């Protein structure tokens, strides 16, 4: 009897021990997420996106400092700093890296084939060589795009609606990003159908932005199309001020340009992409492979018009366009 009791107790303890050990290990396990963004830490738009990410992660059961440690790196418009931070995050060996910075993707691809990477707001990851297939990306990378190349033509159409007399449009983009080059070329090809001559202006810093705006201002009936990038995000107030001074109407990718004085934007809400990216981060932390999660395009685009800026440029925006707008800033 004693022997049976001993065996029963020993067997029960032996069975219970791994469960208790696993529970203790799971309770003490801190997962790690690396986040690299193009914004500086004090940028309101960067903070808005991060807030959306953290809120959605919390809804999914992940709280920074409780069961997950999130390492944020704020590049602040500096390409060299971006690359340094990308290497630093890889060296930390987190469970997943979320990145909103197209310039560092080649470096991340080179540095790791193991750490899952979720990108946010990259226009065409196939053309950029980030993934080979949107539906089945494979490898360790997936994410959320800014949309198809056709979105550039749509922005040209919107600018033409807001400013019917515009005959020349300078596209300001980052020539270091193959995807932006591709979209700019698609807009250039679409120009004749809108009776618009398109000039491509690749910019790498504030000085080149100023030169591009000055060159556009020398031509009559000119306008601008400004792509969001590391450099234009960092210099967006300067772009808007120079455009206003030169009386150049401009269309932007995102609302946050219009909120500080830009004329019009047409694009998705980047904060919503961060929320969706949080869902992918959650699935990866729970065991799914990044390469098995399809790359997704935005499903909703918003038109935002700054009526105060339009009036300052002596533009009469058609009432039908104002009715279609998702938001009118006055």
């Amino acid at each position: 009897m004693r022997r049976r009791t001993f065996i029963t107790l020993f067997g029960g303890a032996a069975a219970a021990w791994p469960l208790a050990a696993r529970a203790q290990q799971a309770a003490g396990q801190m997962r790690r997420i690396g986040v690299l963004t193009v914004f500086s830490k004090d940028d309101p738009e960067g903070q808005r996106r991060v807030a959306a990410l953290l809120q959605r992660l919390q809804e999914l059961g992940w709280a920074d400092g409780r069961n997950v440690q999130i390492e944020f790196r704020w590049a602040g418009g500096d390409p060299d700093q971006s690359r340094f931070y990308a290497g630093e995050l890889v060296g930390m060996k987190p469970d997943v890296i979320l990145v909103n910075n197209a310039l560092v993707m080649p470096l991340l691809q080179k540095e790791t084939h193991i750490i899952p990477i979720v990108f946010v707001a990259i226009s065409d990851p196939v053309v950029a060589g980030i993934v080979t297939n949107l539906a089945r990306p494979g490898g360790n990378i997936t994410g959320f795009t800014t949309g198809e190349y056709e979105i550039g033509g749509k922005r040209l159409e919107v600018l033409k609606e807001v400013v019917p007399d515009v005959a020349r449009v300078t596209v300001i983009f980052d020539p270091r990003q193959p995807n932006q080059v591709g979209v700019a070329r698609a807009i250039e090809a679409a120009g004749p159908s809108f009776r618009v001559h398109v000039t491509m202006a690749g910019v790498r810093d504030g000085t080149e932005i100023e030169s591009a705006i000055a060159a556009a201002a020398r031509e009559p009936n000119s306008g601008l199309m400004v792509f969001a990038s590391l450099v234009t995000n960092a210099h967006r107030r300067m772009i808007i001020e120079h455009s206003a001074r030169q009386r150049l109407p401009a269309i932007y990718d995102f609302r946050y340009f219009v909120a500080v004085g830009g004329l019009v934007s047409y694009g998705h809400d980047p904060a919503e992409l961060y929320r969706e990216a949080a869902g992918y981060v959650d699935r990866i932390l729970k065991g799914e492979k990044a390469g098995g999660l399809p790359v997704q395009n935005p499903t909703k685009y918003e038109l935002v018009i700054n009526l105060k800026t339009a009036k300052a440029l002596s533009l009469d925006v058609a009432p039908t366009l104002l009715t279609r707008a998702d938001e009118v800033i006055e």
Side-chain angles (χ1 to χ4, degrees):
M1 187 62 137
R2 290 177 183 173
R3 185 170 179 272
R4 287 176 183 167
T5 303
F6 174 78
I7 290 172
T8 302
L9 290 172
F10 179 81
W17 181 82
L19 294 173
R22 284 196 296 270
Q24 184 178 8
Q25 185 180 33
Q29 186 178 26
M30 181 75 75
R31 311 302 296 274
R32 298 184 79 186
I33 304 170
V35 178
L36 175 57
T37 174
V38 298
F39 297 95
S40 58
K41 191 173 182 178
D42 60 352
D43 191 305
E45 177 61 20
Q47 290 293 338
R48 187 178 78 93
R49 297 186 189 190
V50 165
L53 172 72
L54 293 176
Q55 180 184 25
R56 182 57 181 150
L57 283 174
Q58 190 163 27
E59 291 169 359
L60 294 166
W62 302 100
D64 190 16
R66 180 171 61 82
N67 58 354
V68 67
Q69 180 181 347
I70 306 178
E71 297 285 349
F72 289 100
R73 295 296 183 270
W74 307 83
D78 187 333
D80 293 331
Q81 190 81 334
S82 298
R83 296 183 185 96
F84 173 79
Y85 283 152
E88 185 180 37
L89 287 176
V90 170
M92 291 179 180
K93 298 181 179 179
D95 296 287
V96 58
I97 294 174
L98 186 146
V99 57
N100 173 208
N101 192 322
L103 283 180
V104 303
M105 288 306 300
L107 175 63
L108 290 173
Q109 287 176 280
K110 179 181 177 182
E111 291 295 322
T112 180
H113 300 285
I114 298 173
I115 300 173
I117 296 170
V118 178
F119 62 78
V120 178
I122 291 179
S123 58
D124 193 327
V126 175
V127 169
I130 297 169
V131 298
T132 57
N133 187 294
L134 297 183
R136 297 177 296 278
N140 63 317
I141 301 176
T142 188
F144 298 82
T145 80
T146 57
E148 303 291 347
Y149 278 9
E150 290 77 7
I151 192 66
K154 181 61 179 178
R155 290 193 181 108
L156 191 59
E157 179 184 342
V158 170
L159 182 60
K160 188 72 174 177
E161 285 186 86
V162 177
V163 194
D165 293 335
V166 71
R168 297 173 179 82
V169 172
T170 297
V171 179
I172 294 178
F173 65 99
D174 189 336
R176 296 164 296 189
Q177 298 186 33
N179 44 356
Q180 290 206 355
V181 174
V183 176
R185 286 176 179 163
I187 294 168
E188 186 179 34
S193 63
F194 295 100
R195 296 184 179 179
V196 170
H197 175 75
V198 176
T199 299
M200 294 170 62
V203 299
R204 299 171 181 81
D205 54 39
T207 301
E208 292 185 350
I209 291 174
E210 290 181 12
S211 297
I213 293 174
R218 287 193 287 269
E219 299 291 338
N221 299 322
S222 289
L224 302 174
M225 184 181 296
V226 182
F227 290 2
S229 68
L230 196 72
V231 62
T232 57
N233 281 330
H235 295 285
R236 63 182 181 271
R237 290 187 181 274
M238 180 267 282
I239 293 170
I240 290 164
E241 289 169 4
H242 278 55
S243 300
R245 190 177 304 126
Q246 300 287 359
R247 299 188 63 78
L248 286 170
I251 186 166
Y252 303 88
D253 291 354
F254 303 123
R255 180 192 180 279
Y256 59 88
F257 284 89
V258 181
V260 292
L263 175 60
V264 60
S265 66
Y266 183 76
H268 63 273
D269 180 3
E272 184 58 32
L273 288 194
Y274 270 65
R275 285 183 58 83
E276 293 182 16
Y280 270 15
V281 169
D282 170 64
R283 292 170 67 175
I284 289 169
L285 291 177
K286 291 175 178 175
E288 292 192 52
K289 301 294 184 183
L293 302 173
V295 175
Q296 296 192 39
N297 292 318
T299 56
K300 183 181 183 299
Y301 294 89
E302 56 182 15
L303 172 63
V304 182
I305 300 171
N306 190 315
L307 203 55
K308 182 179 179 180
T309 301
K311 290 177 180 177
L313 293 170
S314 303
L315 295 173
D316 293 322
V317 182
T320 53
L321 191 59
L322 293 175
T323 302
R324 277 169 41 206
D326 296 276
E327 182 181 359
V328 176
I329 299 173
E330 300 187 61

